[in-house]
Amino acid sequence: MEENKKVEVDLDVKNKETQKKVTGILGGIKEFLIDLLDIKHDTNKEGTVQAIKDNISMKGHTAWILVFSILIASIGLNANSTAVVIGAMLISPLMGPILGVGLSIGINDIDTLRRSMVNLGVMVGLSLLTSFLFFSIPLFQDPTTEILARTRPDVRDVFIALAGGLALIIAVSRPSAQTNTVAGVAIATALMPPLCTAGYGLATGQFSYFLGAMFLFTINTIFIALATFVIVKFLSFPMVKYINSAKRKRISQFASVVAFIILAGSIYSFYNLFRENEFKKTAQSFIYELKENGVSIIGEDDKNIDYTNKSITLPLFNPVSDAQVGIWKNRMGELGLGDVELKIQQQDDTEMLAQVKNLQDLYSQNQKIITSRDENIKEKEDRIRLLENELNKFYKDQIPFKSVSEEAKINYDGIEKMSYAKKVVTDFSKIDSIAFFSIKWKDKMPKKELNMQEEKLKLWLKTRLALDTLKIVRE
């Protein structure tokens, strides 16, 4: 019994020691994470407030920088150049008033809020006016993919604006501001391109572009200001104090109301964008399912989906029965699209079939032309090959008379004149060709030496020209 009690005591001691070790490890991890993620340490609150207030104003140099950056961004959008648009966003001063709005609400600073809202309005007005004047030039009114990309925000833009705003205010609140983070946020949140696109919509009379782009800009503005407000509250920035307690209370209430409106608007915008995104995703899935089942649907899926009017349009080539349409509607109900209108557009394919027939005829004619051309080319290639063979035979039978005669003159100084000809002979059983060389020797050569030179010349010519037979005729 005593041994069992001793074992139990040892086990209890070991368990307590294990628990202490685990608790110590978890406590160490907790302390590490707190130290790793702590942003309250070394926060430069006074410097941050002053830096944001200094960048709110939109006049003088800042106004001209804004105008030129908007002009550069408009040119970049028109030229479809992402690099130019990014460069414009890097030099634009658009963040100042937006940060001022979030900061002023967070610290109950009504004067800064009023100043931020006024400068925000000036900023928007200058931007719209500059882009409107640029896109009013007919040469620059063609829609590009860079412009169209800023006309329809989605739920991802909300997350980008919120995350960008959080990163921006955290970077600004450091003892030494991180300029690379500020530049990165300016690019990621993309405040400037929507304003340029809104100016394009006004200049070209396409108000859907204007409204969509301004909606995107509003989303970015609200969520950057909201992120600033949240971080300012989290870091416990000092509140602005007023001597008049009644005034302080009114300002606090006003700031609370504005903060609530911004928060409610942010939630509402996010909810609407989320619903639109889910609707389009489900509708695209439905259309893709029909295509997988062999249904020929004309056009792009995005253009066939209308979230505003809650409808899906299916332009079809082939006729479809009412029963089939009923099956599709039942499937839409299963996907959660029961309240969505399904519009069927039957396309008259007579003209299309005629065009296809014309294309087939043109293809057949082109194939015949190509086949005939290939035959002519082959025939000419065969003719060229035959002529090349004949030329090779001709040149093969020729001798390099010029070089042979010069060599003969060097080797046999008694030669005064030399000529060459090929003689074709036949005995009516075969035809043969014999090379004839006519040699004129100098008159003063002795006969014995002449005969010897002639015999040597004959042997040399046979060897030099690789001939079995040849004749030398003395002139």
Side-chain angles (χ1 to χ4, degrees), residues 250-411:
R250 287 197 305 271
I251 291 171
S252 178
Q253 290 174 346
F254 176 76
S256 298
V257 170
V258 173
F260 175 77
I261 292 173
I262 291 178
L263 179 61
S266 303
I267 295 173
Y268 180 73
S269 298
F270 176 80
Y271 177 70
N272 280 339
L273 287 173
F274 178 77
R275 287 191 61 187
E276 182 177 353
N277 190 67
E278 286 297 305
F279 173 80
K280 288 184 177 180
K281 185 178 179 181
T282 307
Q284 287 174 347
S285 176
F286 170 68
I287 294 175
Y288 179 76
E289 186 177 306
L290 294 182
K291 289 182 177 180
E292 285 288 300
N293 293 329
V295 180
S296 300
I297 300 174
I298 308 169
E300 300 177 6
D301 293 349
D302 291 341
K303 295 182 179 179
N304 295 331
I305 300 171
D306 187 354
Y307 173 74
T308 304
N309 298 317
K310 292 292 188 296
S311 66
I312 298 175
T313 303
L314 298 181
L316 305 176
F317 265 135
N318 303 320
V320 61
S321 63
D322 294 337
Q324 185 63 55
V325 174
I327 294 173
W328 291 348
K329 288 183 177 180
N330 290 335
R331 179 55 181 160
M332 289 173 62
E334 295 173 359
L335 294 174
L337 301 173
D339 58 340
V340 178
E341 181 184 3
L342 182 63
K343 298 179 180 179
I344 305 297
Q345 292 182 353
Q346 299 286 346
Q347 301 293 322
D348 185 7
D349 58 353
T350 305
E351 184 179 353
M352 180 66 72
L353 292 175
Q355 292 179 356
V356 171
K357 182 66 169 59
N358 290 335
L359 289 174
Q360 289 176 340
D361 292 341
L362 287 174
Y363 177 78
S364 298
Q365 293 176 7
N366 288 335
Q367 286 296 108
K368 290 179 181 179
I369 293 172
I370 292 171
T371 302
S372 175
R373 185 185 63 186
D374 291 342
E375 291 177 354
N376 289 335
I377 291 173
K378 186 177 182 304
E379 181 181 348
K380 291 178 180 179
E381 287 177 347
D382 292 340
R383 180 64 179 166
I384 291 171
R385 196 175 295 111
L386 177 63
L387 292 174
E388 286 178 346
N389 291 334
E390 293 295 327
L391 283 173
N392 288 334
K393 290 180 181 178
F394 174 77
Y395 286 116
K396 185 178 179 181
D397 292 338
Q398 298 300 309
I399 66 169
F401 180 73
K402 186 174 184 301
S403 60
V404 169
S405 61
E406 290 175 352
E407 292 175 17
K409 178 63 177 174
I410 294 171
N411 294 331

